[in-house]
């Protein structure tokens, strides 16, 4: 009995130590580093024109990427659950590919497929549009690395959906569109919201895929993660930490919102 208690105590202590060393201490370190020189340098760092433009560009493009992911992810999740077709299992397994690939490899793929020397890139240039080293390539990179979130959040809800409610709606004379928006969509909404928030949070922090395709022009295509990396290379760790705190705080708020959505769903 005593041995079992000691084993349980040791296991809990190991988990708590792991949590403190790998999560709590780095977070405390970032916040303390950002304020190491006081509030005034912190404020000057986050209000620097280049820093603010990088953060604003990141927010704007992350929102656009999230909207695209919500639309595509909801449709793909629906098709994978509701339809049976050749290659469905392969397609379902490929959904998680962005999680398995190094993000730099994803950026290189985009560069090779959409760059100036590619077929798509060449056609875009003839039409007067440039993809790589401009905002469209950043959005594509963000969509690629966050692609699975909405799909994987929606699929379990569709699998758990009671078919009898849908059949009852059809029996009462409701159209397919009305049934979808009044019966199916409300059940999918918690998954769509939580998946969207996770995708948005992930897009905010993306570095590897974006740095290869963005061009990193200050004030135009320089996103926050690349700006932070540049500040570290310039030996301005306080400035890098200050901008990191903005993204970290926003990620905390998103995480809290995701937990709130999931708890309300479980409460039902």
């Amino acid at each position: 009995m005593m041995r079992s208690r000691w084993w349980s105590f040791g296991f809990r202590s190991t988990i708590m130590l792991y949590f403190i060393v790998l999560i709590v201490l780095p977070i405390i370190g970032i916040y303390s580093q950002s304020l190491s020189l006081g509030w005034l340098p912190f404020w000057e760092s986050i209000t620097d024109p280049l820093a603010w433009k990088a953060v604003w560009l990141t927010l704007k493009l992350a929102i656009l990427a999230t909207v695209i992911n919500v639309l595509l992810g909801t449709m793909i999740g629906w098709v994978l659950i509701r339809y049976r077709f050749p290659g469905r299992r392969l397609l379902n397994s490929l959904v998680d590919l962005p999680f398995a690939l190094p993000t730099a490899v994803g950026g290189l793929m985009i560069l090779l497929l959409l760059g100036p020397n590619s077929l798509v890139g060449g056609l875009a240039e003839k039409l007067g549009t440039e993809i790589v080293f401009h905002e469209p390539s950043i959005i594509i990179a963000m969509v690629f690395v966050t692609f699975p979130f909405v799909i994987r959040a929606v699929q379990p809800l569709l699998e758990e959906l009671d078919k009898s409610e849908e059949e009852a709606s059809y029996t009462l004379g409701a159209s397919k569109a009305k049934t979808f928006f009044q019966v199916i969509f409300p059940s999918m909404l918690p998954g769509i919201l939580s998946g969207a928030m996770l995708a948005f949070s992930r897009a905010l922090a993306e570095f590897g895929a974006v740095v290869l395709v963005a061009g990193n022009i200050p004030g135009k295509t320089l996103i926050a993660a690349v700006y932070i990396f540049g500040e570290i290379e310039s030996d301005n760790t306080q400035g890098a930490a200050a901008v990191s705190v903005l993204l970290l705080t926003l990620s905390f708020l998103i995480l809290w919102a995701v937990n709130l959505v999931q708890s309300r769903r479980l409460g039902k």
Side-chain angles (χ1 to χ4, degrees):
M1 189 68 177
M2 288 294 295
R3 184 177 298 177
S4 177
R5 288 181 178 178
W6 275 110
W7 184 90
S8 177
F9 174 77
F11 179 75
R12 292 196 303 268
S13 300
T14 302
I15 295 299
M16 289 303 299
L17 182 63
Y18 174 88
F19 180 78
I20 291 172
V21 171
L22 295 184
I23 298 177
V24 176
L25 291 181
I27 291 174
I28 293 174
I30 291 177
Y31 277 93
S32 60
Q33 180 64 39
S34 66
L35 296 171
S36 60
L37 301 179
W39 281 100
L40 183 58
F42 172 81
W43 180 253
E44 290 176 349
S45 296
I46 62 175
T47 55
D48 179 86
L50 287 181
W52 184 244
K53 286 181 180 179
V55 172
W56 174 247
L57 178 67
T58 305
L59 289 172
K60 181 180 70 173
L61 299 184
I63 290 172
L64 290 174
T66 302
V67 171
I68 295 171
N69 261 325
V70 166
L71 297 175
L72 291 177
T74 303
M75 289 187 291
I76 293 172
W78 173 270
V79 170
L80 289 175
I81 294 299
R82 288 303 182 99
Y83 297 95
R84 297 293 182 269
F85 52 89
R88 173 180 164 274
R89 290 186 178 180
L90 176 62
L91 181 60
N92 189 52
S93 63
L94 288 177
V95 168
D96 294 322
L97 183 62
F99 287 159
L101 277 179
T103 54
V105 175
L108 181 60
M109 289 167 54
I110 296 170
L111 185 62
L112 294 176
L113 291 173
L114 304 177
N117 298 325
S118 67
L119 177 62
V120 177
L123 291 174
E125 283 190 353
K126 290 180 180 179
L127 295 174
T129 303
E130 295 184 24
I131 302 175
V132 174
F133 308 132
H134 291 78
E135 291 184 7
S137 63
I138 302 175
I139 296 174
I140 293 171
M142 288 181 173
V143 169
F144 176 79
V145 298
T146 60
F147 182 70
F149 284 107
V150 175
I151 299 173
R152 293 312 188 205
V154 167
Q155 282 181 315
L157 300 182
L158 287 173
E159 290 175 344
E160 296 171 3
L161 184 64
D162 189 355
K163 291 288 185 68
S164 62
E165 296 181 7
E166 189 177 346
E167 292 170 357
S169 177
Y170 292 137
T171 303
L172 293 173
S175 63
K176 288 186 176 181
K178 190 173 183 179
T179 300
F180 177 80
F181 286 107
Q182 293 188 354
V183 178
I184 300 173
F185 184 73
S187 300
M188 296 167 58
L189 188 58
I192 294 173
L193 291 177
S194 61
M197 286 184 285
L198 289 172
F200 177 71
S201 180
R202 179 68 182 83
L204 286 179
E206 180 51 33
F207 173 81
V210 172
V211 71
L212 295 178
V213 299
N216 308 319
I217 304 172
K220 293 185 177 180
T221 60
L222 181 66
I223 65 166
V226 181
Y227 175 85
I228 292 168
F229 179 72
E231 291 299 291
I232 293 174
E233 284 193 321
S234 301
D235 201 27
N236 183 17
T237 54
Q238 188 274 333
V243 178
S244 298
V245 162
L246 286 180
L247 300 181
L248 182 60
T249 303
L250 185 57
S251 296
F252 275 136
L253 294 175
I254 293 171
L255 181 61
W256 174 81
V258 170
N259 289 330
L260 181 63
V261 170
Q262 291 178 344
S263 62
R264 286 186 175 181
R265 175 196 162 209
L266 293 174
K268 290 183 179 181

